[in-house]
Amino acid sequence: MPAEIATGVYRLATDYPHVCGLPLWLHVIDAGDELVLLDAGISSTPESTTGPELAELGLGLADLTLVVNSHAHPDHMGGNSVLKRLSQARLAAPATEAGWLEDNETLLKELWGSDPAALDLDPGEREELLQMLGERVRVDVLLRDGDLLPVADRPLRVITTSGHSPGHIAVLDERTRTLFAFDDVQGRGQPFLDGSVWLAPLYTDVERYTTGLRRLLELDFDALVPSHGDVLTADRGRQRIAQSLEWVSEVHEHTAALLRRRRSLTVRELAGSIGTELGDFGGLCLQTVRMARAHLELLAREGGAEPRWHHPR
Ligand SMILES: [Zn+2]
C-alpha cells in the first residue's frame, strides 16, 4: 500500500530496484480536480508498478492529469510515452532539457558521449539504455524557475537547481512544505542494494550544482524527499545538503592536488582516481567521468589548469 508521506501526497514503489539495483520512488499528489505524478520511472514502470500502486489507492493511470519530469535521465522520464498512451495527462518538464527529453540520440551523445576516451558505451549498454528510455514524446508544458505547476488547487512551486543535470528542478508543495529534491541532493553517493559498490554523485557543472544546493538550503521545508532514498526530516535533509557540498569541496581539492603532483591529467585518469580513492564507485563510470570533467573545467576557469588536446599515438 503506498504510504501517505504528507496530506494528499503518496509514495509509489517502482520496478527500478529489480531492474537496476537501486531504490526509486515516484510520488502522486492529489490536487483537487487534478492528479499529479512526479516523475515517470523507466519505460516499464507505469504498467509494472505505477498502475498497480495507484489501484491500491482506488485510482488508475487514466486518472492522471499531469505528469512531471524532474530531469532528463532514463529513470525519471522513460515512462512518458506509456503514460501518454494510457492517460490524457499533459507532460510538464524543465524547458532547458526539452532537447534531451524529446530525443534519445541527443541525450546519449551529449550525456554519455562527452568523453569518448574515458567512457564508451558498448552496443549492449546502449540497447539497455534505449530500452529504459522508451519512445520519446513531446513536452506539453515547459517549466521555468519560479513557475507553479499548472494545477489550480494546490501550489506546487518549481525551483531550478541544475547541476545534477543541466535543467534539474525541485518541486516544493507549499501546502505541506514537502520539498521534492529528486536527484539533486546526493551526499557522497549511495550504495547499490546488493552492497557491491556505491553509485557516485553525478553532476555536469560544479558551480551550478553547488548554487542549486544552496538554493535548497534557503527554502522553508518540513521534509526533503529524494527519488532514490527515504524521506528525510528538515534537519536530516539540511545535513544531507551540507554533506553534498562537502563532497564537492573534497573532490575539488583532490583534483587540484592530483594535478599539482602529476603535472598533467586526463578526464579518464581523474575519473578513475575519484572512482577508487574517494569512494568505492568501481572506477570509471558515467558519474565519475562527468564529475572529473566538471572539476577540471572549474579548475580551468579558476586559472588552476590549462586544457590541452593531444594527437592520439
Ligand atoms: Zn538523475
Side-chain angles (χ1 to χ4, degrees):
M1 184 75 185
E4 187 173 14
I5 61 166
T7 306
V9 180
Y10 298 88
R11 188 173 90 147
L12 311 180
T14 68
D15 57 340
Y16 200 62
H18 305 290
V19 180
C20 287
L22 280 168
L24 174 70
W25 303 99
L26 305 187
H27 296 85
V28 72
I29 302 180
D30 175 356
D33 289 341
E34 305 256 358
L35 189 64
V36 182
L37 179 67
L38 297 184
D39 274 344
I42 53 176
S43 61
S44 54
T45 306
E47 287 172 292
S48 73
T49 33
T50 311
E53 286 282 279
L54 287 174
E56 299 254 358
L57 299 169
L59 298 163
L61 294 174
D63 295 313
L64 295 170
T65 59
L66 182 71
V67 173
V68 180
N69 290 162
S70 59
H71 62 296
H73 288 166
D75 47 333
H76 301 260
M77 45 95 117
N80 286 355
S81 70
V82 179
L83 291 167
K84 274 286 205 184
R85 181 159 50 78
L86 300 176
S87 77
Q88 302 294 313
R90 286 172 301 163
L91 171 62
T96 321
E97 296 199 3
W100 284 6
L101 289 158
E102 293 178 351
D103 182 16
N104 287 338
E105 286 303 325
T106 306
L107 176 66
L108 289 186
K109 195 167 85 192
E110 294 182 358
L111 184 56
W112 277 269
S114 67
D115 296 273
L119 186 74
D120 206 5
L121 291 176
D122 66 40
E125 291 167 328
R126 224 185 109 77
E127 193 41 51
E128 216 171 283
L129 281 168
L130 286 170
Q131 183 76 41
M132 288 195 283
L133 283 162
E135 299 282 313
R136 303 294 359 123
V137 290
R138 202 181 141 85
V139 179
D140 302 306
V141 182
L142 295 172
L143 300 172
R144 292 169 181 84
D145 186 45
D147 283 356
L148 287 171
L149 292 183
V151 293
D153 296 335
R154 189 161 183 150
L156 296 161
R157 183 76 61 187
V158 172
I159 300 117
T160 295
T161 58
S162 188
H164 170 74
S165 72
H168 186 288
I169 56 165
V171 172
L172 179 65
D173 174 27
E174 293 183 344
R175 186 176 297 168
T176 64
R177 292 159 48 107
T178 303
L179 176 60
F180 298 91
F182 302 100
D183 282 5
D184 206 55
V185 182
Q186 305 171 92
R188 307 178 63 84
Q190 76 174 105
F192 277 90
L193 290 167
D194 66 5
S196 53
V197 291
W198 282 50
L199 181 75
L202 169 60
Y203 42 89
T204 53
D205 185 287
V206 178
E207 285 167 314
R208 286 169 73 160
Y209 184 46
T210 54
T211 303
L213 289 168
R214 291 200 184 92
R215 286 198 73 192
L216 295 184
L217 273 181
E218 285 164 13
L219 298 172
D220 272 332
F221 58 86
D222 293 338
L224 187 143
V225 183
S227 294
H228 296 288
D230 294 331
V231 178
L232 303 172
T233 61
D235 280 351
R236 292 283 309 280
R238 287 178 192 286
Q239 279 168 20
R240 190 146 164 88
I241 297 172
Q243 189 190 42
S244 307
L245 287 163
E246 283 161 21
W247 164 262
V248 172
S249 305
E250 203 175 304
V251 180
H252 206 54
E253 279 162 29
H254 180 79
T255 303
L258 199 63
L259 184 62
R260 254 196 319 271
R261 211 163 59 234
R262 295 202 192 169
R263 307 281 297 161
S264 120
L265 204 51
T266 62
V267 168
R268 184 186 175 88
E269 289 162 345
L270 178 58
S273 163
I274 294 170
T276 51
E277 289 168 51
L278 292 189
D280 189 8
F281 304 127
L284 286 176
C285 57
L286 171 68
Q287 285 73 15
T288 55
V289 166
R290 291 312 306 236
M291 239 188 302
R293 167 172 276 271
H295 281 277
L296 287 169
E297 282 173 352
L298 176 60
L299 207 54
R301 290 203 289 270
E302 292 170 342
E306 183 187 335
R308 280 171 187 274
W309 295 88
H310 290 270
H311 189 275
R313 286 177 202 288

